[in-house]
Amino acid sequence: TAIIESAKQFQVVTYAPGDVIIGQGSIGESIDGTNSESRKYYYILVEGECVLVKDGKQVHGKYGTIAKGTSFGETTVLFNNHVRTATIIASKPSP
């Protein structure tokens, strides 16, 4: 099925605290953190925690923290050439 074929394309990537996973204003990125217009990733946070930064300022409250089990990055994947609207930074490592 399509879901199984999609799951086969998943990649496990580990980021250290402080690593930028998504950069605001980019259209895509590579898994090594460099911007790439040709690659658009959708993320599922399996372990650890991330913070959201918008226009250079950390977002606080309900939408400022991405916890394990949360997905992000879907807008660029679903809408062709839509720029990333925020920066996502790894903040806590996996236990």
Side-chain angles (χ1 to χ4, degrees):
T1 68
I3 293 173
I4 292 171
E5 291 305 312
S6 293
K8 288 179 181 178
Q9 295 180 36
F10 286 6
Q11 296 175 322
V12 176
V13 181
T14 302
Y15 294 94
D19 285 352
V20 174
I21 300 170
I22 289 177
Q24 183 177 353
S26 68
I27 294 175
E29 60 280 324
S30 66
I31 57 173
D32 65 4
T34 59
N35 285 340
S36 171
E37 302 298 317
S38 63
R39 295 186 179 170
K40 298 170 179 92
Y41 290 94
Y42 170 72
Y43 298 86
I44 301 170
L45 187 60
V46 177
E47 295 288 343
E49 191 174 275
C50 297
V51 294
L52 188 138
V53 175
K54 181 112 173 141
D55 300 325
K57 297 179 182 175
Q58 185 173 341
V59 176
H60 296 281
K62 180 178 178 180
Y63 300 105
T65 301
I66 300 172
K68 90 175 183 179
T70 304
S71 60
F72 58 94
E74 67 282 353
T75 305
T76 296
V77 174
L78 295 172
F79 303 102
N80 194 27
N81 293 329
H82 191 279
V83 297
R84 300 290 193 180
T85 58
T87 297
I88 307 296
I89 302 172
S91 61
K92 290 185 181 175
S94 301

Coordinates of all heavy atoms in Angstrom, one line a residue:
T1 N 0.8 -1.2 0.0 CA 0.0 0.0 0.0 C 0.9 1.3 0.0 O 2.1 1.2 0.2 CB -0.9 0.0 1.2 OG1 -0.2 0.2 2.4 CG2 -1.8 -1.2 1.3
A2 N 0.2 2.4 -0.2 CA 1.0 3.7 -0.3 C 1.6 4.0 1.1 O 2.7 4.6 1.1 CB 0.1 4.8 -0.8
I3 N 0.9 3.7 2.1 CA 1.5 4.0 3.5 C 2.8 3.2 3.7 O 3.7 3.7 4.2 CB 0.4 3.7 4.6 CG1 -0.7 4.7 4.4 CG2 1.1 3.8 6.0 CD1 -1.9 4.5 5.3
I4 N 2.8 1.9 3.4 CA 4.0 1.1 3.6 C 5.1 1.6 2.7 O 6.2 1.7 3.2 CB 3.6 -0.4 3.3 CG1 2.7 -0.9 4.4 CG2 4.9 -1.2 3.2 CD1 2.1 -2.3 4.1
E5 N 4.8 1.9 1.5 CA 5.8 2.5 0.6 C 6.4 3.8 1.1 O 7.6 4.0 1.0 CB 5.3 2.6 -0.9 CG 5.0 1.3 -1.5 CD 6.2 0.4 -1.6 OE1 7.4 0.8 -1.9 OE2 6.1 -0.8 -1.2
S6 N 5.6 4.6 1.7 CA 6.0 5.9 2.2 C 6.9 5.6 3.5 O 8.0 6.3 3.6 CB 4.8 6.8 2.7 OG 4.1 7.2 1.5
A7 N 6.5 4.7 4.3 CA 7.3 4.4 5.5 C 8.6 3.8 5.2 O 9.6 4.1 5.9 CB 6.5 3.4 6.4
K8 N 8.8 3.2 4.1 CA 10.1 2.6 3.6 C 11.1 3.7 3.3 O 12.3 3.5 3.3 CB 9.9 1.7 2.4 CG 9.3 0.4 2.8 CD 9.1 -0.4 1.5 CE 8.4 -1.8 1.8 NZ 8.3 -2.6 0.6
Q9 N 10.6 4.9 3.0 CA 11.4 6.1 2.7 C 11.9 6.9 3.9 O 12.7 7.8 3.8 CB 10.7 7.0 1.7 CG 10.4 6.3 0.4 CD 9.7 7.2 -0.6 OE1 10.0 8.4 -0.6 NE2 8.9 6.7 -1.4
F10 N 11.3 6.5 5.1 CA 11.7 7.3 6.3 C 13.2 7.1 6.6 O 13.8 6.0 6.3 CB 10.9 6.8 7.5 CG 9.5 7.2 7.5 CD1 8.9 7.9 6.5 CD2 8.7 6.9 8.6 CE1 7.6 8.3 6.6 CE2 7.4 7.3 8.7 CZ 6.8 8.0 7.7
Q11 N 13.8 8.1 7.1 CA 15.2 8.0 7.6 C 15.3 8.4 9.0 O 14.6 9.4 9.4 CB 16.1 9.0 6.7 CG 16.1 8.6 5.3 CD 16.9 9.6 4.5 OE1 16.8 10.8 4.7 NE2 17.7 9.2 3.5
V12 N 16.1 7.7 9.8 CA 16.3 8.1 11.2 C 17.5 9.0 11.2 O 18.6 8.7 10.7 CB 16.5 6.9 12.1 CG1 16.9 7.3 13.5 CG2 15.3 6.0 12.1
V13 N 17.3 10.2 11.8 CA 18.4 11.2 11.8 C 18.5 11.7 13.3 O 17.4 11.9 13.9 CB 18.1 12.4 10.9 CG1 19.2 13.4 11.0 CG2 17.9 11.9 9.5
T14 N 19.7 11.9 13.8 CA 19.9 12.3 15.2 C 20.5 13.7 15.1 O 21.4 14.0 14.4 CB 20.8 11.4 15.9 OG1 20.3 10.1 15.9 CG2 21.0 11.8 17.3
Y15 N 19.9 14.6 15.9 CA 20.4 16.0 16.1 C 20.8 16.2 17.5 O 20.2 15.7 18.4 CB 19.3 17.0 15.7 CG 18.9 16.9 14.2 CD1 17.8 16.2 13.8 CD2 19.6 17.7 13.3 CE1 17.4 16.1 12.5 CE2 19.2 17.6 11.9 CZ 18.1 16.9 11.5 OH 17.8 16.8 10.2
A16 N 21.8 17.0 17.7 CA 22.3 17.4 19.0 C 21.6 18.7 19.4 O 21.1 19.5 18.6 CB 23.8 17.6 19.0
P17 N 21.5 18.9 20.7 CA 20.9 20.2 21.2 C 21.6 21.4 20.5 O 22.8 21.4 20.5 CB 21.1 20.2 22.7 CG 21.1 18.7 23.0 CD 21.8 18.1 21.9
G18 N 20.8 22.3 20.0 CA 21.4 23.5 19.3 C 21.4 23.3 17.8 O 21.6 24.3 17.1
D19 N 21.3 22.1 17.3 CA 21.3 21.9 15.8 C 20.0 22.5 15.3 O 18.9 22.3 15.8 CB 21.3 20.4 15.5 CG 22.7 19.8 15.7 OD1 23.7 20.6 15.9 OD2 22.8 18.6 15.6
V20 N 20.1 23.2 14.1 CA 18.9 23.7 13.4 C 18.4 22.6 12.5 O 19.2 22.1 11.7 CB 19.3 25.0 12.6 CG1 18.1 25.4 11.8 CG2 19.7 26.1 13.5
I21 N 17.2 22.2 12.7 CA 16.6 21.2 11.9 C 15.9 21.8 10.6 O 16.1 21.3 9.5 CB 15.6 20.4 12.7 CG1 16.3 19.7 13.9 CG2 14.9 19.3 11.8 CD1 15.4 19.1 14.9
I22 N 15.2 22.9 10.8 CA 14.5 23.6 9.8 C 14.9 25.1 10.0 O 14.8 25.6 11.1 CB 13.0 23.5 9.8 CG1 12.6 22.1 9.4 CG2 12.3 24.5 9.0 CD1 11.1 21.8 9.5
G23 N 15.2 25.8 8.9 CA 15.5 27.2 8.9 C 14.4 28.0 8.3 O 13.9 27.7 7.2
Q24 N 13.9 29.0 9.1 CA 12.8 29.9 8.6 C 13.3 30.5 7.3 O 14.4 31.0 7.1 CB 12.5 31.0 9.6 CG 11.4 31.9 9.2 CD 11.0 32.9 10.2 OE1 11.5 32.9 11.3 NE2 10.1 33.8 9.9
G25 N 12.4 30.5 6.3 CA 12.6 31.1 5.0 C 13.2 30.2 4.0 O 13.2 30.5 2.8
S26 N 13.6 29.0 4.4 CA 14.1 28.0 3.4 C 12.9 27.3 2.8 O 11.8 27.2 3.3 CB 15.0 27.0 4.1 OG 14.3 26.2 5.0
I27 N 13.1 26.7 1.6 CA 12.1 25.9 0.9 C 12.3 24.4 1.2 O 11.4 23.7 1.3 CB 12.2 26.1 -0.6 CG1 11.7 27.6 -0.9 CG2 11.2 25.2 -1.3 CD1 11.9 28.0 -2.3
G28 N 13.5 24.0 1.5 CA 13.8 22.7 1.8 C 15.2 22.6 2.5 O 15.8 23.6 2.7
E29 N 15.5 21.4 2.9 CA 16.8 21.2 3.6 C 17.3 19.8 3.3 O 16.5 18.9 3.0 CB 16.8 21.5 5.1 CG 15.8 20.7 5.9 CD 14.4 21.1 5.7 OE1 14.1 22.3 5.6 OE2 13.5 20.3 5.7
S30 N 18.5 19.6 3.6 CA 19.1 18.2 3.5 C 19.2 17.7 5.0 O 19.1 18.5 5.9 CB 20.4 18.2 2.8 OG 21.4 18.8 3.6
I31 N 19.3 16.4 5.1 CA 19.4 15.9 6.5 C 20.7 16.2 7.2 O 20.8 16.0 8.4 CB 19.1 14.4 6.6 CG1 20.1 13.6 5.7 CG2 17.7 14.0 6.2 CD1 20.1 12.1 5.8
D32 N 21.6 16.8 6.5 CA 22.8 17.3 7.2 C 22.7 18.8 7.6 O 23.7 19.4 8.1 CB 24.1 17.1 6.4 CG 24.1 17.9 5.1 OD1 23.2 18.7 4.9 OD2 25.0 17.7 4.3
G33 N 21.5 19.4 7.5 CA 21.3 20.7 8.0 C 21.5 21.8 7.0 O 21.3 23.0 7.3
T34 N 22.0 21.5 5.8 CA 22.2 22.6 4.8 C 21.0 22.8 4.0 O 20.2 21.9 3.8 CB 23.4 22.2 3.8 OG1 23.1 21.0 3.2 CG2 24.7 22.0 4.6
N35 N 20.8 24.0 3.5 CA 19.6 24.3 2.7 C 19.7 23.6 1.4 O 20.8 23.6 0.8 CB 19.4 25.8 2.5 CG 18.9 26.4 3.8 OD1 18.3 25.8 4.7 ND2 19.1 27.7 3.9
S36 N 18.6 23.1 0.9 CA 18.5 22.4 -0.4 C 17.1 22.7 -1.0 O 16.2 22.2 -0.4 CB 18.8 20.9 -0.3 OG 18.6 20.3 -1.5
E37 N 17.1 23.3 -2.1 CA 15.8 23.6 -2.7 C 15.1 22.3 -3.2 O 13.9 22.3 -3.4 CB 15.9 24.6 -3.9 CG 16.6 25.9 -3.5 CD 15.8 26.7 -2.4 OE1 14.6 26.8 -2.6 OE2 16.4 27.2 -1.5
S38 N 15.8 21.3 -3.4 CA 15.3 20.1 -4.0 C 14.7 19.1 -3.0 O 14.0 18.1 -3.4 CB 16.3 19.4 -4.9 OG 17.4 19.0 -4.2
R39 N 15.0 19.2 -1.8 CA 14.6 18.2 -0.8 C 13.7 18.9 0.3 O 14.1 19.9 0.9 CB 15.8 17.6 -0.1 CG 16.6 16.8 -1.0 CD 17.7 16.1 -0.3 NE 18.5 15.3 -1.3 CZ 19.6 14.7 -1.0 NH1 20.1 14.8 0.3 NH2 20.3 14.0 -1.9
K40 N 12.6 18.3 0.4 CA 11.6 18.8 1.4 C 11.3 17.6 2.4 O 10.8 16.6 1.9 CB 10.3 19.3 0.7 CG 10.6 20.4 -0.2 CD 9.4 20.7 -1.1 CE 9.7 21.9 -2.0 NZ 10.3 21.5 -3.3
Y41 N 11.6 17.8 3.6 CA 11.4 16.8 4.6 C 10.2 17.1 5.5 O 10.0 18.2 5.9 CB 12.6 16.6 5.4 CG 13.8 15.9 4.7 CD1 14.7 16.7 4.0 CD2 13.8 14.5 4.5 CE1 15.7 16.1 3.3 CE2 14.9 14.0 3.8 CZ 15.8 14.8 3.2 OH 16.8 14.2 2.5
Y42 N 9.5 16.0 5.9 CA 8.5 16.0 6.9 C 9.0 15.3 8.1 O 9.6 14.2 7.9 CB 7.2 15.3 6.3 CG 6.1 15.1 7.3 CD1 5.3 16.1 7.8 CD2 5.9 13.8 7.7 CE1 4.3 15.8 8.7 CE2 4.8 13.5 8.6 CZ 4.1 14.5 9.1 OH 3.0 14.2 9.9
Y43 N 8.9 15.8 9.3 CA 9.6 15.3 10.5 C 8.6 14.7 11.5 O 7.5 15.3 11.7 CB 10.4 16.3 11.2 CG 11.5 16.9 10.3 CD1 11.2 18.0 9.4 CD2 12.8 16.4 10.4 CE1 12.2 18.5 8.6 CE2 13.8 16.9 9.6 CZ 13.5 17.9 8.7 OH 14.5 18.4 7.9
I44 N 9.0 13.6 12.1 CA 8.2 13.0 13.2 C 9.3 12.9 14.4 O 10.3 12.2 14.2 CB 7.6 11.7 12.9 CG1 6.7 11.8 11.7 CG2 7.0 11.1 14.2 CD1 6.2 10.4 11.2
L45 N 9.1 13.7 15.4 CA 10.0 13.7 16.5 C 9.8 12.4 17.4 O 8.8 12.3 18.0 CB 9.8 14.9 17.4 CG 10.9 15.2 18.5 CD1 12.3 15.3 17.9 CD2 10.5 16.4 19.2
V46 N 10.7 11.5 17.4 CA 10.6 10.3 18.1 C 11.1 10.4 19.5 O 10.5 9.8 20.4 CB 11.4 9.1 17.3 CG1 11.3 7.8 18.1 CG2 10.8 9.0 15.9
E47 N 12.2 11.1 19.7 CA 12.7 11.3 21.1 C 13.2 12.8 21.2 O 13.5 13.4 20.2 CB 13.9 10.4 21.3 CG 13.5 8.9 21.3 CD 12.8 8.5 22.6 OE1 12.8 9.3 23.6 OE2 12.1 7.4 22.6
G48 N 13.4 13.2 22.4 CA 14.0 14.6 22.6 C 12.9 15.6 22.6 O 11.7 15.4 22.7
E49 N 13.4 16.9 22.3 CA 12.5 18.0 22.3 C 13.1 19.1 21.4 O 14.3 19.2 21.3 CB 12.3 18.5 23.7 CG 11.2 19.6 23.9 CD 11.0 19.9 25.3 OE1 10.2 19.2 26.0 OE2 11.6 20.9 25.8
C50 N 12.2 19.9 20.8 CA 12.7 21.0 19.9 C 12.0 22.3 20.4 O 10.9 22.3 21.0 CB 12.3 20.7 18.5 SG 13.2 19.3 17.8
V51 N 12.6 23.4 20.0 CA 12.0 24.7 20.2 C 11.7 25.4 18.9 O 12.4 25.1 17.9 CB 12.8 25.6 21.1 CG1 12.9 25.1 22.5 CG2 14.2 25.9 20.5
L52 N 10.7 26.2 18.8 CA 10.3 27.0 17.6 C 10.8 28.4 17.8 O 10.6 29.0 18.8 CB 8.8 26.9 17.5 CG 8.3 27.4 16.2 CD1 7.2 26.5 15.7 CD2 7.7 28.8 16.4
V53 N 11.4 28.9 16.7 CA 11.9 30.3 16.7 C 11.3 31.0 15.5 O 11.4 30.4 14.4 CB 13.5 30.4 16.6 CG1 13.9 31.8 16.5 CG2 14.1 29.7 17.8
K54 N 10.7 32.1 15.7 CA 10.0 32.8 14.6 C 10.6 34.2 14.5 O 10.6 34.9 15.6 CB 8.5 32.8 14.8 CG 7.7 33.5 13.8 CD 6.9 32.6 13.0 CE 6.0 33.4 12.1 NZ 5.9 32.7 10.8
D55 N 11.0 34.6 13.4 CA 11.6 36.0 13.2 C 12.7 36.3 14.3 O 12.8 37.4 14.8 CB 10.5 37.1 13.3 CG 9.5 36.9 12.2 OD1 9.9 36.4 11.1 OD2 8.3 37.2 12.4
G56 N 13.5 35.3 14.5 CA 14.6 35.4 15.5 C 14.3 35.4 16.9 O 15.2 35.5 17.8
K57 N 13.0 35.2 17.3 CA 12.6 35.1 18.7 C 12.0 33.8 19.0 O 11.2 33.3 18.3 CB 11.6 36.2 19.0 CG 12.2 37.6 18.8 CD 11.2 38.7 19.1 CE 11.8 40.0 18.8 NZ 10.8 41.1 19.0
Q58 N 12.5 33.2 20.1 CA 11.9 31.9 20.6 C 10.4 32.1 20.9 O 10.1 33.0 21.6 CB 12.7 31.4 21.8 CG 12.2 30.0 22.1 CD 13.0 29.3 23.2 OE1 14.1 29.7 23.5 NE2 12.4 28.3 23.9
V59 N 9.6 31.2 20.4 CA 8.2 31.2 20.7 C 8.0 30.5 22.1 O 8.5 29.4 22.3 CB 7.4 30.5 19.6 CG1 5.9 30.4 20.0 CG2 7.6 31.2 18.3
H60 N 7.2 31.1 23.0 CA 7.0 30.5 24.3 C 5.5 30.0 24.3 O 4.7 30.4 23.5 CB 7.3 31.5 25.4 CG 8.7 31.8 25.4 ND1 9.7 31.0 26.0 CD2 9.4 32.9 24.9 CE1 10.9 31.6 25.8 NE2 10.7 32.8 25.2
G61 N 5.2 29.2 25.3 CA 3.9 28.7 25.4 C 3.6 27.4 24.7 O 4.5 26.7 24.3
K62 N 2.3 27.1 24.5 CA 1.8 25.9 23.9 C 2.5 25.6 22.5 O 2.8 24.4 22.2 CB 0.3 26.0 23.7 CG -0.3 24.8 23.1 CD -1.8 24.9 23.0 CE -2.4 23.7 22.3 NZ -3.9 23.9 22.2
Y63 N 2.7 26.6 21.7 CA 3.3 26.3 20.3 C 4.8 26.5 20.2 O 5.3 26.3 19.1 CB 2.6 27.2 19.3 CG 1.1 27.0 19.3 CD1 0.2 27.9 19.9 CD2 0.6 25.8 18.7 CE1 -1.2 27.7 19.9 CE2 -0.8 25.6 18.7 CZ -1.7 26.5 19.3 OH -3.0 26.3 19.3
G64 N 5.4 26.8 21.3 CA 6.9 27.0 21.3 C 7.7 25.8 21.5 O 8.9 25.9 21.3
T65 N 7.1 24.7 21.9 CA 7.9 23.5 22.2 C 7.3 22.4 21.4 O 6.1 22.2 21.3 CB 7.8 23.1 23.7 OG1 8.4 24.2 24.4 CG2 8.6 21.9 24.0
I66 N 8.2 21.6 20.8 CA 7.8 20.4 20.0 C 8.2 19.2 20.8 O 9.4 19.0 21.1 CB 8.4 20.4 18.6 CG1 7.9 21.6 17.9 CG2 8.0 19.1 17.9 CD1 8.6 21.8 16.5
A67 N 7.3 18.4 21.3 CA 7.6 17.3 22.1 C 7.6 16.0 21.3 O 7.1 15.9 20.2 CB 6.5 17.1 23.2
K68 N 8.2 14.9 21.9 CA 8.2 13.7 21.2 C 6.8 13.2 20.8 O 5.8 13.5 21.5 CB 9.0 12.6 22.0 CG 8.2 11.8 22.9 CD 9.1 10.7 23.5 CE 8.2 9.8 24.4 NZ 9.0 8.8 25.1
G69 N 6.7 12.6 19.6 CA 5.5 12.2 19.1 C 4.8 13.2 18.2 O 3.8 12.9 17.5
T70 N 5.4 14.4 18.1 CA 4.8 15.5 17.3 C 5.5 15.5 15.9 O 6.7 15.2 15.8 CB 5.1 16.8 18.0 OG1 4.5 16.8 19.3 CG2 4.4 18.0 17.2
S71 N 4.7 15.8 14.9 CA 5.2 15.9 13.6 C 5.3 17.4 13.2 O 4.5 18.2 13.7 CB 4.4 15.1 12.6 OG 3.1 15.6 12.5
F72 N 6.2 17.8 12.3 CA 6.3 19.1 11.8 C 6.9 19.2 10.4 O 7.5 18.2 10.0 CB 7.1 20.0 12.8 CG 8.5 19.5 13.1 CD1 9.6 20.0 12.4 CD2 8.7 18.6 14.1 CE1 10.9 19.6 12.7 CE2 10.0 18.1 14.4 CZ 11.1 18.6 13.7
G73 N 6.8 20.3 9.7 CA 7.4 20.4 8.4 C 6.5 20.1 7.3 O 6.9 20.0 6.1
E74 N 5.3 19.8 7.5 CA 4.3 19.3 6.5 C 4.0 20.4 5.5 O 3.7 20.1 4.3 CB 3.1 18.7 7.1 CG 2.2 19.7 7.8 CD 2.6 20.1 9.2 OE1 3.6 19.5 9.8 OE2 2.0 21.0 9.8
T75 N 4.0 21.7 5.8 CA 3.5 22.7 4.9 C 4.4 22.7 3.6 O 3.8 22.8 2.5 CB 3.5 24.1 5.6 OG1 2.8 24.0 6.8 CG2 3.0 25.2 4.7
T76 N 5.7 22.7 3.8 CA 6.5 22.7 2.6 C 6.4 21.5 1.7 O 6.5 21.5 0.5 CB 8.0 22.9 3.0 OG1 8.1 24.2 3.6 CG2 8.9 22.8 1.8
V77 N 6.1 20.3 2.4 CA 5.9 19.1 1.6 C 4.6 19.1 0.9 O 4.5 18.7 -0.3 CB 6.0 17.9 2.6 CG1 5.6 16.6 1.8 CG2 7.3 17.8 3.2
L78 N 3.5 19.6 1.5 CA 2.2 19.6 0.9 C 2.0 20.7 -0.1 O 1.2 20.5 -1.1 CB 1.1 19.7 2.0 CG 1.0 18.5 3.0 CD1 0.1 18.8 4.1 CD2 0.6 17.2 2.3
F79 N 2.6 21.8 0.1 CA 2.4 23.0 -0.8 C 3.7 23.3 -1.5 O 4.6 23.9 -0.9 CB 1.8 24.2 0.0 CG 0.5 23.9 0.7 CD1 0.5 23.6 2.1 CD2 -0.7 23.8 0.0 CE1 -0.6 23.3 2.8 CE2 -1.8 23.5 0.7 CZ -1.8 23.3 2.1
N80 N 3.8 23.0 -2.7 CA 5.0 23.2 -3.5 C 5.6 24.6 -3.4 O 4.8 25.6 -3.6 CB 4.7 22.8 -5.0 CG 6.0 22.6 -5.7 OD1 7.1 22.3 -5.2 ND2 6.0 22.9 -7.0
N81 N 6.8 24.7 -3.1 CA 7.6 26.0 -3.0 C 7.1 26.9 -1.9 O 7.3 28.1 -1.9 CB 7.6 26.7 -4.3 CG 8.4 25.9 -5.4 OD1 9.3 25.2 -5.0 ND2 8.0 26.0 -6.6
H82 N 6.5 26.3 -0.9 CA 6.1 27.1 0.3 C 7.3 27.2 1.2 O 7.8 26.2 1.6 CB 4.9 26.5 1.0 CG 4.3 27.4 2.0 ND1 4.8 27.5 3.3 CD2 3.2 28.1 2.0 CE1 4.0 28.3 4.0 NE2 3.1 28.7 3.2
V83 N 7.7 28.4 1.6 CA 8.9 28.6 2.5 C 8.5 28.1 3.9 O 7.4 28.2 4.4 CB 9.4 30.0 2.4 CG1 9.9 30.3 1.0 CG2 8.4 31.0 3.0
R84 N 9.6 27.7 4.6 CA 9.4 27.3 6.0 C 9.1 28.6 6.8 O 9.7 29.6 6.6 CB 10.7 26.7 6.5 CG 11.2 25.5 5.8 CD 10.3 24.3 6.1 NE 10.9 23.1 5.7 CZ 10.4 21.9 5.8 NH1 9.2 21.8 6.4 NH2 11.0 20.8 5.4
T85 N 8.1 28.5 7.7 CA 7.6 29.7 8.4 C 8.3 29.9 9.7 O 8.0 30.9 10.4 CB 6.1 29.6 8.6 OG1 5.8 28.4 9.3 CG2 5.4 29.5 7.2
A86 N 9.1 29.0 10.2 CA 9.8 29.1 11.4 C 11.0 28.3 11.4 O 11.2 27.4 10.6 CB 8.9 28.7 12.6
T87 N 11.9 28.6 12.4 CA 13.1 27.7 12.6 C 12.8 26.8 13.7 O 12.2 27.1 14.7 CB 14.3 28.7 13.0 OG1 14.6 29.5 11.9 CG2 15.5 27.9 13.3
I88 N 13.2 25.5 13.5 CA 13.1 24.5 14.5 C 14.5 24.0 14.9 O 15.3 23.7 14.1 CB 12.3 23.2 13.9 CG1 11.0 23.7 13.3 CG2 12.1 22.2 15.0 CD1 10.0 24.3 14.3
I89 N 14.7 24.1 16.3 CA 16.0 23.8 16.8 C 15.9 22.7 17.8 O 15.0 22.8 18.7 CB 16.6 25.1 17.5 CG1 16.7 26.2 16.5 CG2 18.0 24.7 18.1 CD1 17.1 27.5 17.1
A90 N 16.8 21.7 17.7 CA 16.8 20.6 18.7 C 17.2 21.2 20.1 O 18.1 22.0 20.1 CB 17.8 19.5 18.3
S91 N 16.4 20.9 21.1 CA 16.8 21.5 22.4 C 17.1 20.5 23.5 O 17.9 20.8 24.4 CB 15.6 22.4 22.9 OG 14.4 21.6 23.1
K92 N 16.6 19.3 23.4 CA 16.8 18.3 24.4 C 17.2 17.0 23.7 O 16.5 16.6 22.7 CB 15.7 18.0 25.3 CG 15.4 19.2 26.3 CD 14.3 18.8 27.3 CE 14.0 20.0 28.2 NZ 12.9 19.7 29.1
P93 N 18.2 16.3 24.1 CA 18.6 15.1 23.4 C 17.6 13.9 23.8 O 16.8 14.0 24.7 CB 20.0 14.8 24.0 CG 20.0 15.4 25.4 CD 19.1 16.6 25.2
S94 N 17.7 12.8 23.0 CA 17.0 11.6 23.4 C 17.5 11.1 24.7 O 18.7 11.2 25.0 CB 17.2 10.6 22.3 OG 16.8 11.1 21.1
P95 N 16.6 10.5 25.5 CA 17.1 10.0 26.8 C 18.1 8.8 26.6 O 18.1 8.2 25.6 CB 15.8 9.5 27.5 CG 14.7 9.6 26.5 CD 15.3 10.3 25.3

